[in-house]
Amino acid sequence: MSARNGEPVAKLPQSNFSITEDGKPQVIDFFEEHSPQTPAKVDSPAMPPMPEGAVTNVPAAPPSAALYVFLLDSLNSEPQDQVFIHKQVLSFLHRLDPGTQVAIFTLGSNLRLLQSFSSDPAALLAAVSRTGAERDAMAQNRSDNADDAAHIANLQKMRASQANIEALQAAEASAHAYSFGARTTMTFEALNALARYLEGIPGRKNLVWFSSSFPVVFFPTATEMAQLKNNPNLPGALNRIKQTANLFTSSKIAVYPVSGAGVMNSNIGLADSADAGSAGGTGHFGASATPTGSLTGEAMNSASSISSMEHLAASTGGRAFATNDIASALTRIVHDSEIYYTLGYAPADSTPSDDFRHIGVKVSGGKYKLEYRPGYNASPTTTASDQNPITPILKLGMPAASGILYGARIEPASAAKSAEPAGQNPNLKGPHTRYAVSFTIRTQDVSFNQAPSGKRIAKLLVGIKAYGEDGSALNWLATREAIELDAARYESLLKTGIPITLEIDLPVNTKARVVTAVYDWNTARSGSLEIPLRSGTQQSLNQ
């Protein structure tokens, strides 16, 4: 929140704040101010004792008033915009304020973590310097669109039949729609993985997303919902959107979209060989049958892009930026985020539903500009209906999910529990080694329901997936674990953790990376951890 002069407001008491949900007053039961003078106290979570050789997915998040995640998006960006963003981000990092905690991610065909949270400018500069402009196969850029328009114009000049022209237009439109659908799905999957990585880190996280376009929406309007529901290139879009929105809500992430296009100037009249300004190009003022038509269309596209950015930011409590001075915009984001307030309440109406609950916040004692998440989905456990919920968490190379903390250890099984194959790959052949993957799950992160008998019941999905050096899947296994505890056993596991062991067969003497994951059916929270398989401890079993 900021005052009239744009400066953040500090030292306001809880009594100045009031909250409503769907217009009904709520009781604030948690209030905390965050500022550089009073940084959030971040203690390492109390983990149960771990067996020797176990590794954990506990995130390393240093205390800070706010944390910043820079997402350099090449999947949805023009190459020339990527070069501009790269230079501006480097300029900002060269003058990074001491103590500012930043993590660096890139998004192309996959989401990649280049640098975990750090305030060291040298480490952050090195991470960004390793990136470069990329052209993703799924991206449809401005020159591609101009090429398509030029093809149509050439057919018209050659007096091709109207049927042939319409057939080409339909084919191009279908290809564009498919590409957009695939790119949108990839973007949502990456955002989900990013939210899972941040879920176990307390406090507000600010996602600064650098891109030319932002093909996502978190809380669609009724019109947008109808369009998404009827789009054949976006199957299951509404469930996927709701899942991502819920993850961003639970992970306390505010989105700051930053346009790589800067202040959007007109591209009409540019003299490149594949543009509307080329000879006979559809947008050239001297050649077009409607000289202002291309300019009008471009202006509408620009306005739509900015509107999408602003809607995305407003739905998460962030702010959108379209400027030629991205480095200064980043300075502003950090400045505005240094002071913020966390307010919590238990909804007076806790009945689960599919409704969107609208949140209103008011502050007395002055005229302030407030930026906050305007609501949430009342049903928080939505999972994309077209896939097993643990499948995306078991992908290779993804950042570790931290919603459920645990430790894991991999070692050759001392004795096979069964002569049956261990794992779900029916094509695994030849000599192999059986491994035991032992989990020690932090009980406090698991949701337990109360049974009529008084026992506590949890439902987990636990999985492992091993990948070879070439990234191919070697074997995998996922099991449902129903945990039923009496009071004494529950109290004991709060100290020792929940032990679960899975066994999996892998080819002898293979170098592999094993992705482990835990998913809570009650809350949709998850944890994951990628572990390199140690060599030199393998024993052969022939089956």
Side-chain angles (χ1 to χ4, degrees):
M1 62 179 290
S2 56
R4 283 184 173 181
N5 61 2
E7 292 297 307
V9 181
K11 301 187 183 304
L12 290 179
Q14 178 178 333
S15 57
N16 283 35
F17 292 80
S18 61
I19 296 180
T20 60
E21 182 174 290
D22 288 340
K24 300 177 182 178
Q26 306 292 316
V27 177
I28 298 174
D29 54 23
F30 180 86
F31 178 86
E32 190 171 53
E33 178 185 355
H34 308 265
S35 71
Q37 289 72 37
T38 57
K41 185 179 180 182
V42 181
D43 295 325
S44 296
M47 295 292 290
M50 294 292 160
E52 184 179 355
V55 292
T56 74
N57 66 335
V58 177
S64 177
L67 299 173
Y68 303 90
V69 177
F70 287 5
L71 177 59
L72 306 174
D73 183 351
S74 63
L75 177 64
N76 301 296
S77 296
E78 302 268 359
Q80 63 269 29
D81 292 347
Q82 296 177 47
V83 174
F84 173 61
I85 290 168
H86 188 267
K87 291 180 179 178
Q88 292 283 306
V89 172
L90 289 175
S91 174
F92 168 76
L93 293 176
H94 274 294
R95 59 176 192 263
L96 185 70
D97 289 338
T100 304
Q101 296 289 339
V102 179
I104 308 290
F105 284 83
T106 59
L107 172 57
S109 55
N110 290 294
L111 179 71
R112 286 196 303 146
L113 172 62
L114 298 185
Q115 174 62 54
S116 57
F117 285 107
S118 174
S119 60
D120 180 5
L124 297 168
L125 286 166
V128 175
S129 297
R130 292 197 299 270
T131 66
E134 299 177 1
R135 171 69 192 280
D136 193 273
M138 288 296 177
Q140 178 80 9
N141 63 23
R142 180 173 57 82
S143 293
D144 294 330
N145 293 333
D147 282 340
D148 292 344
H151 294 159
I152 300 299
N154 288 334
L155 286 177
Q156 292 170 335
K157 286 181 181 181
M158 296 165 60
R159 300 185 182 278
S161 69
Q162 186 62 29
N164 286 342
I165 292 174
E166 289 177 356
L168 179 59
Q169 289 174 323
E172 290 176 344
S174 178
H176 295 171
Y178 175 81
S179 173
F180 176 79
R183 188 160 47 88
T184 298
T185 298
M186 292 167 67
T187 302
F188 272 113
E189 289 177 351
L191 293 178
N192 289 349
L194 184 57
R196 293 187 185 105
Y197 170 78
L198 297 170
E199 191 171 22
I201 301 174
R204 174 187 172 104
K205 281 78 68 174
N206 300 303
L207 172 60
V208 186
W209 183 0
F210 305 94
S211 186
S212 300
S213 62
F214 303 86
V216 300
V217 61
F218 284 169
F219 302 116
T221 64
T223 300
E224 290 171 331
M225 289 178 68
Q227 293 173 342
L228 290 164
K229 189 175 182 179
N230 297 321
N231 190 329
N233 294 296
L234 294 172
L238 293 180
N239 278 338
R240 188 170 288 109
I241 289 169
K242 192 171 183 179
Q243 180 189 27
T244 304
N246 291 344
L247 280 168
F248 269 59
T249 298
S250 63
S251 300
K252 303 180 182 67
I253 302 172
V255 181
Y256 290 81
V258 178
S259 171
V263 176
M264 299 180 188
N265 296 318
S266 173
N267 295 306
I268 302 299
L270 290 183
D272 60 62
S273 61
D275 208 323
S278 59
T282 55
H284 194 286
F285 285 112
S288 176
T290 55
T292 60
S294 295
L295 185 60
T296 302
E298 189 176 49
M300 292 179 64
N301 289 337
S302 174
S304 176
S305 176
I306 293 174
S307 176
S308 297
M309 291 171 57
E310 292 177 342
H311 180 62
L312 177 62
S315 65
T316 61
R319 186 185 302 180
F321 290 85
T323 173
N324 290 338
D325 190 357
I326 291 178
S328 294
L330 293 174
T331 300
R332 186 70 196 179
I333 291 171
V334 172
H335 176 267
D336 291 350
S337 303
E338 283 185 336
I339 299 173
Y340 69 95
Y341 297 84
T342 300
L343 285 71
Y345 69 95
D349 179 8
S350 59
T351 305
S353 71
D354 292 330
D355 298 335
F356 177 78
R357 304 280 180 89
H358 295 271
I359 296 175
V361 179
K362 292 184 178 180
V363 183
S364 62
K367 293 186 176 180
Y368 307 114
K369 181 180 179 180
L370 306 183
E371 293 170 342
Y372 59 91
R373 193 176 303 275
Y376 66 97
N377 295 314
S379 177
T381 58
T382 298
T383 300
S385 60
D386 57 345
Q387 64 180 191
N388 185 316
I390 207 169
T391 299
I393 311 171
L394 286 171
K395 285 187 175 181
L396 182 68
M398 303 300 281
S402 62
I404 297 176
L405 301 180
Y406 65 90
R409 181 178 67 174
I410 303 175
E411 59 184 351
S414 56
K417 291 182 179 179
S418 168
E420 295 297 320
Q424 295 170 332
N425 182 3
N427 298 317
L428 183 66
K429 306 296 183 183
H432 60 266
T433 299
R434 181 159 299 181
Y435 289 91
V437 183
S438 303
F439 293 76
T440 304
I441 303 169
R442 187 173 184 263
T443 308
Q444 291 84 342
D445 294 332
V446 177
S447 174
F448 286 84
N449 293 327
Q450 195 85 18
S453 63
K455 291 188 175 181
R456 297 175 183 266
I457 298 176
K459 296 179 181 179
L460 299 179
L461 187 58
V462 183
I464 50 180
K465 192 169 186 178
Y467 296 84
E469 289 185 286
D470 60 354
S472 61
L474 301 174
N475 203 357
W476 54 89
L477 175 66
T479 67
R480 294 172 181 259
E481 300 286 341
I483 302 171
E484 186 172 335
L485 307 174
D486 58 26
R489 181 61 174 158
Y490 175 75
E491 290 298 324
S492 174
L493 291 185
L494 286 175
K495 301 175 183 177
T496 64
I498 300 171
I500 294 175
T501 299
L502 303 183
E503 291 189 348
I504 190 168
D505 293 335
L506 296 177
V508 169
N509 297 324
T510 186
K511 293 182 179 179
R513 299 194 69 84
V514 180
V515 181
T516 65
V518 179
Y519 179 87
D520 189 333
W521 285 103
N522 291 332
T523 62
R525 291 175 68 91
S526 61
S528 68
L529 181 62
E530 185 176 313
I531 308 171
L533 184 64
R534 294 180 178 179
S535 60
T537 59
Q538 305 191 357
Q539 51 195 26
S540 175
L541 294 172
N542 290 286
Q543 293 183 345

